[in-house]
Amino acid sequence: QVQLVESGGGLVQAGGSLRLSCAASGRTFSDYAMGWFRQAPGKEREFVAAISRSGGNKYYADSVRGRFTISRDNAKNTVYLQLNSLKPEDTAVHYCAARFASGSGSVYLTTSEYRYWGQGTQVTVSS
């Protein structure tokens, strides 16, 4: 089992920034690829960003590329999502997810590929 706990969400004005954190426990963190997803009211959960277990490969949704940055610190068992230039359409509950990765460079982009999920943290961007 892997337990994931997100933090760092909040209310910000458009153009502002937030840094989300996701602390993992229960297994060897460096064996797991990580992802961030988000879900707005009335919408399906959507992919935001993913990072390989080594941190060497990253991938972003088109809607956030250039504004968000995913990173990880395997020594601290934590993955981060830096959110810059926030827009009202970024308002959503943001979730981190984990899955065991056999390849050090593998990234995963869909909800069905992840086994473990956090409880989510709310990001609200006012206009």
Side-chain angles (χ1 to χ4, degrees):
Q1 284 284 69
V2 175
Q3 291 79 42
L4 302 172
V5 179
E6 302 99 333
S7 61
L11 172 64
V12 295
Q13 291 187 333
S17 298
L18 285 173
R19 189 193 196 202
L20 306 185
S21 299
C22 173
S25 61
R27 287 289 189 269
T28 303
F29 183 65
S30 59
D31 286 344
Y32 287 78
M34 303 296 294
W36 284 96
F37 292 77
R38 66 187 182 186
Q39 188 167 19
K43 295 187 177 181
E44 293 187 353
R45 193 169 298 189
E46 66 175 5
F47 169 76
V48 175
I51 189 167
S52 62
R53 70 180 199 190
S54 68
N57 282 346
K58 304 175 185 181
Y59 194 83
Y60 298 92
D62 289 344
S63 59
V64 307
R65 188 174 290 116
R67 300 189 297 122
F68 292 7
T69 303
I70 190 171
S71 62
R72 66 188 294 161
D73 185 337
N74 286 347
K76 295 184 177 181
N77 292 353
T78 301
V79 62
Y80 304 97
L81 187 68
Q82 178 68 41
L83 292 65
N84 295 333
S85 302
L86 281 161
K87 305 176 181 180
E89 52 263 43
D90 294 318
T91 295
V93 178
H94 285 63
Y95 298 90
C96 72
R99 65 155 286 158
F100 181 82
S102 57
S104 62
S106 299
V107 291
Y108 304 91
L109 311 186
T110 65
T111 57
S112 61
E113 294 178 289
Y114 287 88
R115 181 173 182 181
Y116 302 103
W117 293 84
Q119 83 289 350
T121 186
Q122 177 71 46
V123 171
T124 303
V125 184
S126 62
S127 57

